[in-house]
Amino acid sequence: MELWRNKQFIYLFSARFVALIGDGLLFLVLLKMLELKNTGSIGLSFYYLAAGIPAFLFAIPAGAVVEKSNLQKTMIATDIVRAILIFVFIIMNLYVTYSPILIYCLLFLITINDMFFLPASQSLLRWIVPEHLRPQANGQLQIAMMTGKLLSYSLGAFLIKIGLELNALLSIVIISFLVSICIVFQIKPQIINRADSSEKTFQLAVEGLKFIQNTKIIKKIFIIFGCAWLIGSSIDIFLISYLNDVLQLGTEDLYLITTFSLCGIVIGSFLGPKWYSTINKKLGFYLPSLIFGLVILMYAMKLPFFILLFSLMIGGIAQGVFLTFINSYLQEITSQDYYARVSSFYTLLMQGASLPGFFLIGFLIQQTSVVYVGYIIGIYMITLSIFSFFLLPNIRNENEKNIILPRKSLEDDYVS
């Protein structure tokens, strides 16, 4: 396989995979800590808000910084800072205090670092992987993301059940980031997106926003994705609450649900590159909302558990296809000169656009019931998929490939 003969891609893949195991384990451990503090669904909402607010505040400036920074050094610096933050958190847990506020603060600071790590790694992919292999590379990275989460959830659940201290699990997270650093050091040569680093960060950020605003197909895709993620991102809160309230299981049993979802995403990430060049890409952008809406309605109807797990796998396949499509398409039609900023805005939507949904879904579950909220989510997602069908144009061929604009004449006509 041509892609796997590319050593630089193997290093990038391995670094992200190891870091994702740490991220997944950190996610589970902090959730378990919140459960032990009996914070309820409102506590879960604040947890996700702590992960979303940094994207809203820092995603666009972070993309502008990445645009003129050494990509490998940026990834290494973020891993170092994350490891230090978790170490300080462990010390404070042991000797100072142990409270939900401390957990939220840690997640907030960790997520700020993610705002730099993600666009740097995605931008680096464009330099080390030829264009015709990028859909496959994006699919493989999605597989790495999902399998990393699956392994970390399963490992974390097992270690919690056998009685390993939560602070000891956090030490494993630190080790994963240190291993990631060692691997990133192997990616050669050192890459900087632009030779001219004199332009101010604020100006770069504004130019990036203008580019998105005036490129109609990107704007439409981001509108659809933002509206979907406004509620779709809160599906995690719904599933965790369903696990606790309906199935009467603990947070460490989250892997019972996530295993099927993540396996579905792995399958979808494998199929996505094969379908990317053969089907209307519009299908990959609106069908996932329809499918996930139907899946959540099945949960609301309390169908037999084995049917729910199977349906969640189907939803995962649709999500894996979508993630492959959107990452590959943005890389395909955006020039390298703007890609880090476009990628950062995508990250902003993944994190920041979900902020109202996190609070709303948590509040509704607290005030009503998880089943009632399931109907709301399902109907919303299905309605959005219908809206998306009419808003998005057909995208059958690479008609808008490599949008390249003069950086000093952003007032000129944009490709639409």
Side-chain angles (χ1 to χ4, degrees):
M1 186 183 295
E2 184 179 354
L3 180 64
W4 292 104
R5 290 196 292 268
N6 184 334
K7 289 185 179 180
Q8 305 309 312
F9 173 74
I10 292 174
Y11 290 139
L12 178 61
F13 178 93
S14 302
R16 287 188 59 165
F17 181 75
V18 172
L20 284 166
I21 290 179
D23 282 334
L25 191 56
L26 177 65
F27 175 83
L28 184 65
V29 171
L30 295 182
L31 274 180
K32 186 62 181 178
M33 287 181 170
L34 286 179
E35 180 190 313
L36 295 175
K37 287 292 183 180
N38 297 314
T39 56
S41 59
I42 293 296
L44 284 177
S45 294
F46 280 117
Y47 181 78
Y48 282 96
L49 284 170
I53 291 174
F56 183 78
L57 297 176
F58 302 109
I60 297 300
V65 171
V66 169
E67 199 78 68
K68 58 181 182 178
S69 301
N70 183 297
L71 299 179
Q72 288 98 318
K73 289 182 179 179
T74 299
M75 294 173 66
I76 290 169
T78 57
D79 276 339
I80 292 173
V81 172
R82 287 189 288 186
I84 293 173
L85 287 172
I86 295 172
F87 177 76
V88 172
F89 178 79
I90 293 174
I91 298 300
M92 293 188 70
N93 269 346
L94 292 175
Y95 301 108
V96 183
T97 185
Y98 170 43
S99 71
I101 294 177
L102 191 61
I103 295 172
Y104 302 143
C105 289
L106 172 65
L107 188 61
F108 181 87
L109 295 173
I110 289 286
T111 308
I112 291 176
N113 279 271
D114 290 343
M115 296 304 99
F116 295 87
F117 182 88
L118 293 175
S121 61
Q122 280 298 110
S123 191
L124 185 58
L125 174 68
R126 288 193 55 166
W127 285 96
I128 65 178
V129 176
E131 184 177 347
H132 70 284
L133 292 177
R134 287 175 193 159
Q136 183 182 351
N138 283 309
Q140 296 297 325
L141 287 175
Q142 291 302 323
I143 291 174
M145 180 181 296
M146 296 307 112
T147 53
K149 285 186 177 180
L150 179 59
L151 287 174
S152 61
Y153 290 167
S154 300
L155 175 63
F158 171 75
L159 294 176
I160 290 173
K161 285 182 178 294
I162 65 174
L164 191 65
E165 291 282 342
L166 295 179
N167 286 326
L169 288 174
L170 291 176
S171 299
I172 298 176
V173 176
I174 293 176
I175 293 173
S176 72
F177 290 140
L178 296 179
V179 172
S180 175
I181 291 170
C182 295
I183 298 173
V184 174
F185 269 118
Q186 304 303 314
I187 303 176
K188 307 290 183 180
Q190 299 291 311
I191 298 295
I192 300 176
N193 274 329
R194 58 174 66 216
D196 179 14
S197 60
S198 61
E199 197 164 358
K200 294 182 179 180
T201 298
F202 177 77
Q203 183 179 351
L204 289 173
V206 171
E207 287 182 3
L209 290 174
K210 287 183 178 179
F211 174 81
I212 294 169
Q213 171 67 27
N214 291 283
T215 308
K216 290 185 179 179
I217 185 62
I218 294 179
K219 182 170 69 173
K220 287 180 179 180
I221 290 173
F222 279 160
I223 288 172
I224 295 300
F225 178 63
C227 290
W229 211 241
L230 179 69
I231 297 298
S233 58
S234 303
I235 289 175
D236 281 349
I237 295 178
F238 171 81
L239 291 175
I240 293 169
S241 298
Y242 195 93
L243 187 75
N244 298 152
D245 300 344
V246 178
L247 301 179
Q248 301 298 311
L249 296 173
T251 302
E252 69 272 16
D253 293 310
L254 181 63
Y255 75 95
L256 293 173
I257 290 178
T258 56
T259 295
F260 286 85
S261 175
L262 297 179
C263 285
I265 295 175
V266 168
I267 296 171
S269 300
F270 176 77
L271 296 175
K274 299 180 183 297
W275 293 343
Y276 181 77
S277 59
T278 60
I279 69 172
N280 186 345
K281 297 177 181 65
K282 176 179 177 178
L283 294 172
F285 293 136
Y286 78 83
L287 275 182
S289 295
L290 174 63
I291 293 173
F292 252 108
L294 294 173
V295 169
I296 298 303
L297 285 180
M298 291 182 184
Y299 274 80
M301 292 185 286
K302 296 184 180 181
L303 295 182
F305 192 45
F306 73 92
I307 295 179
L308 297 180
L309 293 177
F310 178 75
S311 70
L312 202 58
M313 179 178 288
I314 300 300
I317 293 174
Q319 185 178 352
V321 171
F322 170 79
L323 292 171
T324 301
F325 271 48
I326 190 170
N327 281 293
S328 299
Y329 192 63
L330 291 176
Q331 290 172 354
E332 179 182 299
I333 68 173
T334 309
S335 72
Q336 184 67 59
D337 200 35
Y338 289 92
Y339 179 70
R341 285 168 284 176
V342 171
S343 178
S344 291
F345 191 81
Y346 170 67
T347 302
L348 183 152
L349 290 179
M350 287 199 73
Q351 302 288 341
S354 56
L355 295 179
F358 289 153
F359 179 79
L360 177 63
I361 296 303
F363 176 78
L364 287 177
I365 291 175
Q366 190 85 2
Q367 297 299 315
T368 59
S369 71
V370 66
V371 171
Y372 178 80
V373 173
Y375 283 110
I376 296 176
I377 295 175
I379 294 171
Y380 176 87
M381 298 298 287
I382 292 171
T383 302
L384 180 63
S385 69
I386 297 172
F387 173 75
S388 305
F389 176 80
F390 292 103
L391 179 66
L392 291 175
N394 289 322
I395 312 173
R396 296 186 181 277
N397 301 308
E398 292 86 4
N399 293 325
E400 298 179 276
K401 201 171 188 178
N402 295 327
I403 297 175
I404 304 177
L405 304 174
R407 292 180 47 246
K408 296 301 182 182
S409 59
L410 288 173
E411 296 79 10
D412 296 342
D413 291 336
Y414 284 71
V415 177
S416 61

